[in-house]
Amino acid sequence: MRHVRYVVWGGAFVATSAVLAVAVMNGELGDTTILTTVLGFGIAATGLALNLARTSADGERPSPAEVLDARAEQLAAAVEQQWQSEWRLRRLQDPEPIAVHWSSAEPWLADPREPGTDGRAPDDRLENIAAALDRVASRRLVVLGEPGSGKTVLAVRFTLDVLASRDPGAPVPVVVSMSDWRPQSESLDTWLARYLAGHYPGASWARELLDAGRVIPVLDGLDEMAPPLRTAAVRRLNTDLDDGRPLLMTCRSAVYADVVRSSDVLTSAAVVELQPLDFETAAAHLLRTARPVRGPGGTRTTAWHPVIDRLRTDPGAHPCAALRAVLRTPLMVTLARTAYDDTDADPAELLDDDGVRDDRAQRQARLEAHLLDAFVPAAYRDDDRRVDTALHTLGFLARHLERQGSRELAWWELRRELPLPLRTVGPVLIVGALAAAVIVLTTEATPGWTVLVAAGLLAPLCVGQALSLRGDSDRTRGHGPDGATTARRGRVPRELVWVLVGAIPLGLVVGMTRDLGLSPYPALLQRWEWAGACALAMTAGLAVATALGVLDLLGRPVPTTIPLSAGRGARSWRRRGLAVLVVATATAIGALVPTALSAPIRIRVICAASSGLVVAVALRQNPGTVGRVLIPRQTVAGRRAGPRGSVLTAVGRGLVKGLTAGFLLGLAFGVTNGTTLAARASVAQDDAPAGGSWHTSADGSRVFVADGWRHRELADGTRVVSSSGPVRWAVERWADGAVHAETMTLFAQGCDGECETLDKPVELRQHPGQEELLAKLPDGTFAQSWDLEDTLPPASRRWLELSTPERLLVRNVNEGVALAFSLGLISGLTVALHRWLVSPTDIARAGTPLDGLHADRATAVSRGVLLLVIGFLSSALAARLWPETTFAGSSFLIWLITAPLAIALSAWGWLLVTRLWLCGTGRLPWRLMRFLEDAHRRGVLRQAGALYEFRHARLQERLAARLDV
C-alpha cells in the first residue's frame, strides 16, 4: 500500500513540475488560471507527501538496540561466509587441520592479568583457542609464532569457532590485516571502520558497531607493518582499548620481542606461542592426505611412505635432517601436500642432494624455495599451458604489492604501475584524444586547431588532477566509514583556491582577445586568435575541473559499492526502477544527438539502441552478489534518515558545495573578463576603420567613408554602416511575420518562406544594448540580419558591433553568473541526487572484488547519465533566465565533456586505462579479474572482503623474487 502512495505522490510531483515548467517557458505564470492550477497541484502533492510521511512516521520502527543487533547479524553472516569459503579453498577441512599446539610464551612478553595469577595460559591445541581467550580475564590474547607456523589459520579458526557459538547480538569477530594501518594518524576504531567499509561493501555503519562494542578485532600480522609502525601500533592499542574490550593479535615471535623491548607489552594481554610441528604429526598428515597406491597384496601405500620411512630410520643423515626441519611448519607441510598430492611428481626428489655440497641451513632454504616454487605449477596442474602465464602475472602482482609495502591486492591500486603521465592524468588524456579524433573525423575542423583547443581544455583538468593527487596522503587507500577517503574531505578548500587562481588570468586573457561587440558568437581579434581560443578552452576546462572536484572525482580513485540492478530487499524495487530510468534516459540521449545532427532515421535507431544496450550491460549485476536488506533504509540508529541523511540534507549539502565552487569560478572569470573588455571598449569608442576620411552629409551629420562603406552614429547611439553602391542580397519572409536579410550564399542553400532577391545598397544598424543587427529594407522597414554583416570589411564590422563599456561589463558579469548557476546547480544536484538515490545497501554477504568492480561501473555510468540529464535541464533554465548571455545557451557542451570524464575518472575507468597499458605491454592478462578469481579458486590467493591477498606472505615474497630471475 505504501508503494501505491509513493507512486501517487510522485505522479503529483511530476505533474506539478510539468505544469510549472510549461507556464514558465510560455511566460504564462501570471495568468490566474495557470497559477491556480499550479498551486492546486502543489497543495495536493504537499498533502500527499505529508500524509505519507505521517503514515511512515507512525509505523512501527525498530529500536536502536534492535538496529544494532540486525547489523551485527549482517556482519556476522558476511564474515562467516567469507572465512568458511577460505577454509574450504585451503582444504583445511580435508580431512582436518594439522594438529598445531600452542603454549604460554615467556612471562616477560605478557602483562599480568589480575593479582594472584601468573599471566600464563595453559597448554592447548588449535581447536581450543576460542575457549582459551575466554579463560583470560581481560579477553585479550597475543598469538606468536615463526613464519608459516599457522598464525593466520589460528585466527581464522578462532573467528569461525566464535561465530558458530555466539548468541544473537553478541560481538562479531572480524579478521583484519594490520598491513595498511597508520597508527600515528588513525585511531583504532577509525581504521577498523574504514577497513570494514572497504572490505564488506555497504557496511558504512561499522563505526556504530565499534562504538557499541559489537566487534572483536582479530588483528592479523603485526609483523607485516613497517618497523617504526609496530611500536606505534602497540602504543595506540594500549591507548584506545577500553577495559574489558576483547582482542586477538598475531605476530612473529622475534618481531614481538623487539616491539616489547622498544616500547611495551600489550596491556592486560596473555601471550601464547605456536609450537613447531613434531615430525610424527607432519608425517601422519602427509600419509593420510596423499593419493593411495596399491601395495603388495592389496595393501595401501603412498608415494610418501618411502620418504617417511627413510626420515624415520635415518634422521641424522644430511638430506633427512634438512627435510625434517622443513616439515616443522604447517605452511611447508601444506605446500608439500599440494606439490605431490595430485601430481605425478615423486616426493623422493626432496631427499636427492643433486651433487650439491651445502650445509643443513642452506639445504633447508633450498627445499623451502623448491616447495614454494612448486606450489603455483601444482595449483595449475590441470592446464600446463597457463603455468608460465600464471607465474609471470602473479610475480608482477607480488612485485607490485612489494613496492607498495602492502599485502592486500586492490584492483583500483594497479594504476600505480602506470608511467607517471598516465598514472596522473591517464583517463583525461584518453578522453581528450578520443574527443579530438571524433571532432576531426565528423567535422571540418583542422587537426591543428582541434589539438590546440583540446590541449587548452585538458590543461586545467590535468593540473587539477595532479594537485588533487598530491594532496592525497598515501594512507588513503581504502574507503572511509562513509565510503570516501578521509583526505578527500579536506581537499575542497584547496581546489577552490586553485580554481580562483586559474579563473582570474584566464578572464584577463579572454578579455584582452575577445571582440568588443555583443554578438552571441563573438569573434576574436585575428592577430591573437590562438591565444583567445586557448583561453576560452582553458576556461571550459576549468569549469569541468571544478564540477569534477565537487563530485569528488579528482584525485585518487576509490571504488563505490552501490548496486543498481539487483537485490531482494525491501528497496530493490527502487534500485531496479532507477536502473530502468537510467537505461531509458541513455536511450533517449542516444536518439536525440543524431536527431540534432539531422541523421537518417536508421542512424537514430542504431544510436539509441546502442546507447541503451551499452548502459544496460554496464549496469548489469550478478544477481547472486547482492544480499537482502535486513534493516529499512530510512531507519538509522532509531531516527528516520538514509545512510547519508535525508534527501533535503543531501540536496542541501550538494547544492551548497556546488554553488560555492561554481560562483567562485563564474564570478571571478566574469568580473575579470568584463572589466578587461570594458576598459578596452572605453579606449576604442572613437576608433574608426583605418584608411578612411570624414565627410559632412547634406543634413549636416558627420560620415566616415572607408573601403567604399559609409559609417555614422545617430543621436541615440545607434551605429549605421551602409554601402556606397548596390549590393546583391536577399530577403526571406516567414508566415509568422518574421523577416530576415541574408547573403546570396545563404540564400542559395534554400528558402523556407517567401523570398526575394535585391540589388540595392545595404544599410545595417546596431542599436545600443541589442545583440541583433538590423538591415533596412527598401520600404523603410527593418529585417533581422542573418549573415548580411559578412559583406562588411572586417574593420567596418568591428566598428558596427562595438558596444559600450557599461554594457560589456554587465553582460559579462551576467555571463559569469550564468556559468556559476549552471555549474553549481548541475554538479551540486548530481552529487546530491546520486548519493541519495543510490545510497549503499546493508550487506548480508561479503562482496567479491568482481562485485565491487561491477558496482563501481554501474555507479559511474549512472552518474554520467545523471550529469547529462541535469546538465541539459539546468542549461535550458540558465538560457531562459539569462537569454542575453553566450554561456547560458552553450553550457551544455561543458557537460557533454564532464559526463564521460566522470565515468573515466571512476575506479572502473582507471582500471580500463591500466588494462590498456599493462595488458597491452604483456604484463597482465586482458581478463585480469577472471584470472584473479581463478587464482583464488585454486588457492593461490585468498579473498579479504573486496580485496585479494596472497595465500602466505612467504609465497608473495618468493614470487616477487622469481620475477628477477
Side-chain angles (χ1 to χ4, degrees):
M1 188 61 183
R2 182 179 298 179
H3 293 174
V4 175
R5 289 195 293 271
Y6 271 117
V7 173
V8 173
W9 174 72
F13 178 78
V14 171
T16 304
S17 303
V19 173
L20 181 62
V22 172
V24 172
M25 296 298 293
N26 294 333
E28 299 174 348
L29 191 58
D31 185 81
T32 305
T33 303
I34 297 296
L35 186 59
T36 302
T37 303
V38 172
L39 292 176
F41 269 115
I43 293 172
T46 304
L48 284 170
L50 291 175
N51 183 36
L52 179 62
R54 189 180 302 111
T55 303
S56 301
D58 294 339
E60 184 178 347
R61 294 183 297 176
S63 66
E66 291 173 336
V67 172
L68 287 176
D69 288 343
R71 288 176 172 171
E73 296 305 316
Q74 286 182 279
L75 182 60
V79 173
E80 186 173 19
Q81 183 214 14
Q82 172 192 346
W83 290 112
Q84 279 184 345
S85 175
E86 291 297 325
W87 194 266
R88 290 190 296 268
L89 284 173
R90 297 189 185 197
R91 301 174 66 181
L92 295 174
Q93 85 295 347
D94 179 22
E96 62 183 12
I98 302 175
V100 179
H101 292 261
W102 49 267
S103 62
S104 296
E106 296 180 357
W108 72 281
L109 296 174
D111 187 23
R113 295 167 295 168
E114 294 179 353
T117 63
D118 59 1
R120 295 172 63 86
D123 294 352
D124 220 321
R125 290 165 56 99
L126 173 67
E127 57 268 25
N128 297 326
I129 189 64
L133 183 70
D134 292 335
R135 292 197 296 267
V136 179
S138 64
R139 302 197 66 205
R140 297 179 191 172
L141 187 65
V142 178
V143 179
L144 306 180
E146 297 304 316
S149 60
K151 298 183 295 296
T152 300
V153 172
L154 181 142
V156 174
R157 181 61 182 263
F158 167 81
T159 300
L160 293 177
D161 288 348
V162 172
L163 290 173
S165 60
R166 69 182 287 271
D167 297 326
V172 180
V174 182
V175 180
V176 181
S177 174
M178 301 184 70
S179 60
D180 72 334
W181 186 23
R182 300 298 180 263
Q184 310 100 314
S185 54
E186 278 185 306
S187 68
L188 174 65
D189 285 344
T190 298
W191 165 61
L192 289 175
R194 175 171 64 85
Y195 187 96
L196 292 176
H199 288 67
Y200 300 96
S204 57
W205 32 255
R207 185 57 184 261
E208 298 177 30
L209 292 181
L210 290 164
D211 292 340
R214 299 294 187 92
V215 175
I216 301 176
V218 182
L219 307 181
D220 185 30
L222 176 66
D223 53 280
E224 294 178 0
M225 303 178 70
L229 300 181
R230 298 167 184 165
T231 55
V234 173
R235 292 194 185 100
R236 175 71 78 168
L237 288 173
N238 290 336
T239 301
D240 292 350
L241 287 174
D242 297 327
D243 291 338
R245 185 173 179 181
L247 175 140
L248 186 143
M249 183 175 70
T250 70
C251 184
R252 295 185 183 183
S253 301
V255 171
Y256 189 72
D258 291 338
V259 170
V260 172
R261 278 191 289 265
S262 59
S263 60
D264 194 5
V265 298
L266 183 63
T267 303
S268 301
V271 183
V272 299
E273 187 170 13
L274 297 178
Q275 299 301 309
L277 292 177
D278 62 83
F279 172 73
E280 291 302 329
T281 300
H285 184 80
L286 290 173
L287 293 176
R288 184 178 180 184
T289 57
R291 182 174 50 183
V293 178
R294 187 177 186 275
T299 59
R300 182 189 186 277
T301 186
T302 67
W304 276 102
H305 272 83
V307 177
I308 298 300
D309 290 342
R310 184 177 175 187
L311 293 176
R312 284 171 175 162
T313 57
D314 195 8
H318 179 63
C320 295
L323 183 54
R324 287 173 67 101
V326 168
L327 296 179
R328 288 174 61 84
T329 62
L331 173 64
M332 291 300 158
V333 173
T334 302
L335 293 178
R337 173 189 175 182
T338 303
Y340 298 101
D341 187 1
D342 296 326
T343 66
D344 295 330
D346 187 355
E349 65 184 12
L350 296 174
L351 296 175
D352 295 337
D353 56 13
D354 299 325
V356 178
R357 311 301 298 178
D358 51 9
D359 58 26
R360 174 179 166 180
Q362 292 174 330
R363 181 169 180 81
Q364 181 178 341
R366 284 202 302 119
L367 286 174
E368 290 178 350
H370 171 77
L371 292 177
L372 289 169
D373 292 342
F375 177 72
V376 172
Y380 286 85
R381 56 184 172 269
D382 59 336
D383 191 354
D384 293 339
R385 295 173 299 177
R386 298 181 57 194
V387 171
D388 291 339
T389 301
L391 286 172
H392 175 77
T393 302
L394 293 170
F396 178 82
L397 296 175
R399 177 57 59 84
H400 161 72
L401 293 179
E402 188 178 80
R403 282 192 287 264
Q404 304 307 316
S406 174
R407 297 296 185 190
E408 297 176 336
L409 178 60
W411 52 266
W412 59 90
E413 291 291 344
L414 288 173
R415 53 174 283 279
R416 295 171 178 265
E417 297 299 326
L418 295 172
L420 181 60
L422 289 178
R423 185 167 68 246
T424 306
V425 292
V428 176
L429 295 178
I430 290 180
V431 171
L434 291 176
V438 170
I439 292 174
V440 171
L441 294 176
T442 58
T443 66
E444 297 180 356
T446 61
W449 271 104
T450 301
V451 172
L452 180 67
V453 173
L457 179 66
L458 297 180
L461 285 169
C462 295
V463 173
Q465 172 70 5
L467 291 177
S468 298
L469 280 173
R470 186 177 180 180
D472 277 338
S473 63
D474 291 336
R475 65 181 178 85
T476 55
R477 296 179 53 250
H479 291 282
D482 59 352
T485 58
T486 54
R488 190 161 289 181
R489 295 186 178 188
R491 200 179 62 234
V492 175
R494 290 196 298 272
E495 289 176 348
L496 297 185
V497 169
W498 68 257
V499 164
L500 181 62
V501 171
I504 294 176
L506 289 177
L508 181 64
V509 174
V510 172
M512 289 298 298
T513 58
R514 193 172 182 179
D515 192 83
L516 297 178
L518 288 177
S519 170
Y521 307 103
L524 300 173
L525 294 179
Q526 187 172 5
R527 60 177 177 172
W528 282 346
E529 187 176 7
W530 63 271
C534 283
L536 286 175
M538 292 178 71
T539 305
L542 192 60
V544 174
T546 303
L548 294 173
V550 172
L551 291 170
D552 279 342
L553 293 177
L554 292 179
R556 201 173 306 281
V558 177
T560 52
T561 56
I562 304 175
L564 281 178
S565 60
R568 296 183 294 276
R571 298 294 173 184
S572 62
W573 62 271
R574 179 179 59 84
R575 297 195 300 274
R576 293 192 181 99
L578 180 61
V580 171
L581 179 61
V582 170
V583 173
T585 304
T587 304
I589 293 173
L592 288 175
V593 173
T595 300
L597 298 175
S598 302
I601 185 64
R602 64 178 182 276
I603 300 298
R604 303 178 195 178
V605 173
I606 293 174
C607 290
S610 301
S611 301
L613 181 61
V614 168
V615 173
V617 171
L619 298 184
R620 178 182 59 83
Q621 291 279 317
N622 180 355
T625 63
V626 182
R628 54 194 175 91
V629 179
L630 299 182
I631 305 172
R633 177 182 179 271
Q634 68 270 22
T635 304
V636 177
R639 65 182 186 276
R640 183 175 175 80
R644 294 183 180 271
S646 66
V647 60
L648 293 179
T649 302
V651 173
R653 289 177 178 175
L655 285 179
V656 168
K657 186 178 181 181
L659 290 174
T660 301
F663 272 96
L664 185 61
L665 170 62
L667 290 179
F669 176 77
V671 170
T672 307
N673 182 26
T675 302
T676 306
L677 285 170
R680 289 178 53 215
S682 63
V683 177
Q685 285 297 308
D686 297 328
D687 284 355
S693 59
W694 287 97
H695 301 272
T696 302
S697 62
D699 58 1
S701 61
R702 297 276 293 171
V703 177
F704 187 84
V705 180
D707 295 328
W709 290 82
R710 301 164 58 87
H711 308 74
R712 59 194 175 97
E713 186 171 349
L714 303 183
D716 62 355
T718 300
R719 296 198 173 206
V720 181
V721 175
S722 57
S723 62
S724 301
V727 176
R728 189 167 179 78
W729 50 295
V731 177
E732 186 172 334
R733 304 177 188 272
W734 287 3
D736 60 359
V739 183
H740 305 282
E742 58 191 55
T743 63
M744 295 303 297
T745 301
L746 183 60
F747 175 77
Q749 298 178 7
C751 179
D752 297 330
E754 180 183 343
C755 301
E756 64 174 319
T757 59
L758 303 174
D759 194 3
K760 296 182 179 296
V762 170
E763 181 178 309
L764 293 174
R765 296 191 175 192
Q766 176 71 69
H767 292 284
Q770 294 185 2
E771 295 184 5
E772 298 84 4
L773 286 176
L774 300 179
K776 188 175 182 179
L777 301 180
D779 59 2
T781 60
F782 291 89
Q784 181 181 356
S785 172
W786 267 359
D787 68 333
L788 203 56
E789 62 272 16
D790 290 345
T791 60
L792 299 176
S796 299
R797 179 173 178 176
R798 285 196 297 271
W799 181 85
L800 177 66
E801 295 178 343
L802 185 66
S803 181
T804 62
E806 297 80 7
R807 183 63 180 171
L808 285 171
L809 177 61
V810 171
R811 185 178 187 279
N812 283 278
V813 171
N814 284 341
E815 187 170 292
V817 173
L819 168 64
F821 173 82
S822 178
L823 181 66
L825 188 64
I826 296 173
S827 55
L829 278 179
T830 301
V831 67
L833 290 179
H834 194 265
R835 289 181 177 179
W836 176 66
L837 290 174
V838 286
S839 56
T841 56
D842 294 321
I843 58 169
R845 55 181 292 159
T848 67
L850 190 59
D851 296 340
L853 177 62
H854 287 167
D856 187 75
R857 179 184 64 190
T859 304
V861 171
S862 65
R863 184 192 296 117
V865 174
L866 277 174
L867 270 174
L868 287 176
V869 174
I870 300 176
F872 174 78
L873 295 177
S874 58
S875 297
L877 182 58
R880 182 71 178 177
L881 296 176
W882 293 280
E884 75 279 3
T885 62
T886 59
F887 183 82
S890 60
S891 62
F892 185 60
L893 295 176
I894 291 179
W895 303 104
L896 285 177
I897 301 169
T898 306
L901 282 171
I903 298 175
L905 286 171
S906 66
W908 173 66
W910 273 102
L911 181 63
L912 292 181
V913 176
T914 302
R915 289 180 59 196
L916 285 175
W917 180 263
L918 296 181
C919 301
T921 55
R923 281 176 277 186
L924 290 177
W926 284 103
R927 303 190 68 182
L928 174 62
M929 299 305 294
R930 297 298 180 188
F931 172 84
L932 296 177
E933 269 196 338
D934 183 59
H936 173 237
R937 181 181 58 83
R938 296 174 183 274
V940 180
L941 300 177
R942 71 181 185 190
Q943 181 183 323
L947 299 92
Y948 286 118
E949 297 176 355
F950 279 90
R951 178 167 180 162
H952 195 275
R954 294 196 60 186
L955 178 63
Q956 174 184 324
E957 294 165 0
R958 180 61 184 174
L959 287 170
R962 279 177 54 91
L963 199 64
D964 297 329
V965 178

